[in-house]
Amino acid sequence: MSKPKTGIVCAQECFNHRTRTRAECGCDAPFNLYPPPKNEESLRLWLKALNLKKPPKRPYVCSFHFVNTRPTEDHPIPEKWLGYEVPITTPRRRVRRLADTEADQAVPQSESPTHKDADTQWEVQALMDHTYILGQKKNHVCDRETQCGGEEPLAHAILKNDTSCVLYTGLSLSAFFDHVKYLEQFYKANFKMHVMDQILMTMMKLKLNLLQGDLAERFAVSHGLVSRILSYWIDTMEEHMRIYIPWLPRETIRSTMPQCFREKFPNTTCIIDCTETTLQKPHNLDSRGESYSHYYSSNTIKYLVAIAPCGLVMFISPAYGGRCSDKFITQESGFLEYLRPGDEVMADRGFTIRDLLFERKINLVLPAFTHKGGQLSDEDVTATRRIANVRIHVERVIRRLKVFKIISQTVPINLAHKWTKSSESVQPL
């Protein structure tokens, strides 16, 4: 069948020769797209039939939505599979002339269309390749950007400007779209939801720690789908965004060092600190005991953060139970593997790791301790103040991390395993 002049082919890949495009094999498209009419009244009826909340400027419609597979004088607008119940209307009786009857009898039986009107279930193979029909309700209308796309992503309505985007995702609008563009190349799932909306939902969970029921209502999906999407994208982000937590070379650390470090601590490689996040109380008694923090008097998860003097995050460890000491986390997290002889680590008093660093020929800078209730000397007080003056940078970075409420509020117990899994988040440069 020749391609209609008004039809716009909507598929580039050949349905008969999957490994080639139609330009290579010369096959026709199994379906076509037709533009809306230019007549104002016809256009009004066209949009009314589509029944879209936010119709595009030029709502192209696929040939499968037309009675005669294309707009005709008798059926100029789409009437099939529009996503809502169309009231049955009894057509007018047409007087059949003798010439029409003879013409009908002359048409061979094999040329009659092979479809059933009961549920409008087509039997032609081309329909089976029309992806939005398989396993779904027949409620989609085609547009030009996708083979059979529905409405535009809900993200466009939610993220109206930079202010709303920072509120919901912690990113500017341009950064969010770059984030989506980077992640969508790794998308291998088949959730019945736009990829941009899936990533937005995940970012809203991380930024605002919304309940899954709240996200389900906002995006009009089931609780189960929300749970699967969050689990999938958190794992995907963890796997493919490790490159954004690099361990800087020593030369880069020196060249980007702020003046406050150059004057007093020019050999500093990194500043480390541990922080804790409240955890929903586990039902298992062993897990409850391992995650109990005496400092916070509640169940927590604890993780190590290391930053460069310039403020760049270079290492984030997996989460451990709040009961673990700073020394244990430092030793078990793999942090020591990134240090080289001659490096200098700045930490707080709780990091009693001098013996671990000494054997690696690494210097440790700590505030002074008081011994047996005695007072610090003037030199120790001065040194402690200088250390506190620059060590405050790591606390500021942690505070910025906790802008994402998933780590500043109580972590749901069903997401705890996402924190404690082994991570190779640092990529040496």
Side-chain angles (χ1 to χ4, degrees), residues 67 76 95 143 170 196 275 285:
V67 174
V95 178
D143 59 33
M196 183 180 295
T275 185
L285 294 179

Side-chain angles (χ1 to χ4, degrees), residues 44-147:
R44 185 186 68 81
L45 295 175
W46 184 284
L47 295 175
K48 181 180 178 181
L50 299 186
N51 196 29
L52 295 175
K53 292 182 180 179
K54 297 180 180 179
K57 292 182 179 180
R58 289 182 62 78
Y60 282 71
V61 178
C62 173
S63 57
F64 286 121
H65 297 288
F66 294 94
V67 174
N68 298 319
T69 69
R70 63 185 178 84
T72 60
E73 291 183 3
D74 293 335
H75 302 280
I77 63 174
E79 299 177 32
K80 293 184 176 183
W81 306 338
L82 300 176
Y84 57 90
E85 296 295 332
V86 181
I88 299 175
T89 56
T90 305
R92 285 188 181 179
R93 220 174 143 191
R94 196 171 94 182
V95 178
R96 294 178 64 83
R97 299 176 182 174
L98 180 60
D100 294 337
T101 305
E102 292 175 355
D104 290 344
Q105 293 175 353
V107 177
Q109 189 69 22
S110 60
E111 294 183 7
S112 60
T114 58
H115 69 276
K116 302 175 183 179
D117 257 347
D119 289 322
T120 328
Q121 303 228 348
W122 290 62
E123 294 176 347
V124 292
Q125 181 60 31
L127 180 65
M128 303 305 294
D129 294 319
H130 207 53
T131 55
Y132 69 102
I133 297 173
L134 297 177
Q136 302 180 25
K137 293 182 180 179
K138 307 174 183 99
N139 59 350
H140 294 278
V141 179
C142 304
D143 59 33
R144 292 191 66 177
E145 296 182 358
T146 58
Q147 283 193 10

Side-chain angles (χ1 to χ4, degrees), residues 18 25 35 46 49 51 87 103 108 119 123 141 148 150 152 169 174 276 340 361 388:
R18 294 287 182 176
C25 64
W46 184 284
N51 196 29
D119 289 322
E123 294 176 347
V141 179
C148 294
E152 64 179 8
T169 69
S174 60
E276 298 182 54
R340 296 186 299 168
K361 299 180 181 180

